[in-house]
Amino acid sequence: AQHLAADSVTTGAIAAGAVRAEQIAVDELSAISANLGDVTAGVFRSADNGLVVDATNRLITIRDQQPMPIERVRLGRLGPGPEEWGLQIRSASGLLVLDANGNVGSIVDVPKRAQVVEAMNGQEWVYGDLYSEPPVVAYVGGGLTWDNRNRWGNLSQTYQDSGRGTGSGSLTLSQYGIIPRFFGEVLHEQKKVKFHAFLVAVGTTTPQTATFLSPSQVTLGNFTGQANISAGQLPAVGHNYTVRWRFRAEPRPTLDLDATWDAVARIEVWLGLSNPILLASIWTPTIQGTGPTPSEISGTIAFQRELTASDAVRVKFAALIWEFRSGGSGSVPGTARVDAQGMDWAQAAGALYASATPTDADRARFLVLAQR
């Protein structure tokens, strides 16, 4: 039989039901809609290749819609072996989240949630199994506090190691004032929290300060030099430190005299030069300025950390909001900077330290709040 020329048969020339056949073989079939009963096919795919059903290899693949799509879900035959079947899920970055055996392959961000952890002094808790970002930790209760201070006289100095204090034996209450200290130290590199619950017997303290190396004045987005900490000035009582800062805003000289504006900055304290760790941060109070006159504000940021002379503490001018309140339009360009004026602490070289959780029954309770 001779072949029909292309476009020689149109739909108008074929009545419904006019063509019936046991088999029709074509190189390519295109249809707007089709009512299909039993279909034998090799590969079925969506127009954007986001959904692929490979009937021959018994595999369903689903890709996301990123600029470079990632295979997020694979269901069916996952490998050449007769037992390699199941469901596989990957994250938006392509990391394996769930394998065919139900094992979790990587950490997935979870919604914010809070939990209470009971811990002894010095114990560590791994948060990397649950969260990808460092949590916020706050002391809730428990441990030896002011409420059970009648037990203090029987406490041994079990916490004076690692430069935390000196002496041996029991605390001598008649010679010291005692300060309870409870906090969670987030060790970001190790994905865990170290819990501190201890008492400090303090006699005479010596005020200490450290200056920040150049540059101590920085513009938006930049770090200061590190604080120049002397080993002879440590330890700080309770590992408490305070950073003094000054935020100054200088609008352009051509600004209208009657224009009013507001400026606020985010200031952060970081530890380390490579892979730094955020220790504390604040938004400053708002500077309310008028016209081209410069204005400034000062304050402090407090943090707790067990520091040594080799630790690099730096200040970062992290963010700036500067806008008109009245009498102006557009941005308020000018110069803004943050000055790191010093880091202060109280040193008590002869301080005595004792655990606030001497027995299991004294466990302290900490609230752990996930960031993501």
Side-chain angles (χ1 to χ4, degrees):
Q2 294 183 348
H3 295 286
L4 296 174
D7 298 327
S8 62
V9 178
T10 62
T11 56
I14 302 176
V19 177
R20 293 180 181 274
E22 294 296 327
Q23 292 185 348
I24 297 178
V26 296
D27 292 331
E28 184 176 341
L29 177 64
S30 179
I32 301 301
S33 64
N35 185 359
L36 305 175
D38 188 353
V39 178
T40 301
V43 178
F44 168 81
R45 70 182 72 239
S46 62
D48 63 353
N49 212 37
L51 172 64
V52 178
V53 180
D54 187 343
T56 302
N57 295 307
R58 305 179 186 182
L59 178 65
I60 299 175
T61 303
I62 300 175
R63 297 178 175 86
D64 60 23
Q65 294 181 308
Q66 298 185 67
M68 297 184 65
I70 300 294
E71 287 189 357
R72 302 296 294 274
V73 179
R74 300 176 75 221
L75 174 64
R77 188 174 185 178
L78 303 176
E83 78 290 347
E84 295 185 70
W85 294 76
L87 172 66
Q88 189 180 78
I89 301 176
R90 294 184 179 273
S91 68
S93 61
L95 295 176
L96 183 64
V97 173
L98 184 70
D99 67 14
N101 297 317
N103 298 317
V104 175
S106 63
I107 299 300
V108 183
D109 287 336
V110 297
K112 281 192 175 183
R113 63 179 180 179
Q115 57 185 306
V116 174
V117 177
E118 292 189 345
M120 304 282 283
N121 177 56
Q123 282 190 331
E124 297 177 344
W125 179 75
V126 178
Y127 69 79
D129 295 336
L130 297 174
Y131 319 132
S132 60
E133 296 295 326
V136 173
V137 184
Y139 170 65
V140 176
L144 295 183
T145 62
W146 297 110
D147 295 333
N148 45 20
R149 58 186 178 275
N150 58 312
R151 294 182 56 191
W152 288 356
N154 300 320
L155 296 178
S156 298
Q157 294 178 64
T158 57
Y159 201 62
Q160 74 271 19
D161 59 316
S162 301
R164 296 183 176 91
T166 60
S168 61
S170 299
L171 299 181
T172 306
L173 298 181
S174 61
Q175 299 178 8
Y176 299 91
I178 295 187
I179 306 171
R181 287 288 181 244
F182 299 87
F183 62 96
E185 181 181 2
V186 178
L187 306 174
H188 183 49
E189 308 94 328
Q190 303 171 48
K191 299 288 185 182
K192 61 186 180 182
V193 176
K194 183 176 182 179
F195 297 104
H196 297 270
F198 59 94
L199 306 176
V200 189
V202 181
T204 302
T205 62
T206 303
Q208 301 289 1
T209 189
T211 58
F212 287 87
L213 301 179
S214 181
S216 60
Q217 300 179 359
V218 291
T219 55
L220 181 61
N222 294 310
F223 283 93
T224 67
Q226 68 189 65
N228 189 17
I229 305 173
S230 170
Q233 296 178 339
L234 297 174
V237 175
H239 312 316
N240 291 326
Y241 296 86
T242 300
V243 171
R244 289 176 283 111
W245 53 263
R246 179 173 60 200
F247 166 48
R248 181 176 177 84
E250 299 181 354
R252 65 179 187 269
T254 57
L255 195 65
D256 293 341
L257 294 176
D258 59 350
T260 60
W261 46 267
D262 294 338
V264 60
R266 179 178 173 85
I267 302 175
E268 299 174 344
V269 179
W270 290 78
L271 174 65
L273 300 176
S274 59
N275 300 317
I277 303 167
L278 179 63
L279 297 177
S281 64
I282 62 164
W283 282 98
T284 67
T286 301
I287 294 178
Q288 295 186 333
T290 302
T293 304
S295 188
E296 63 185 32
I297 192 170
S298 299
T300 60
I301 304 177
F303 68 92
Q304 288 182 311
R305 187 79 179 193
E306 183 182 346
L307 296 179
T308 67
S310 61
D311 286 325
V313 177
R314 298 183 294 164
V315 173
K316 182 180 181 181
F317 185 179
L320 172 67
I321 300 175
W322 198 355
E323 58 189 11
F324 282 110
R325 188 168 67 254
S326 66
S329 61
S331 62
V332 190
T335 300
R337 72 170 187 263
V338 167
D339 301 347
Q341 297 184 303
M343 186 171 74
D344 305 321
W345 65 94
Q347 180 194 19
L352 308 180
Y353 290 75
S355 172
T357 57
T359 69
D360 190 73
D362 297 312
R363 286 178 176 271
R365 296 184 297 277
F366 296 87
L367 176 67
V368 181
L369 177 63
Q371 290 297 287
R372 295 188 65 183

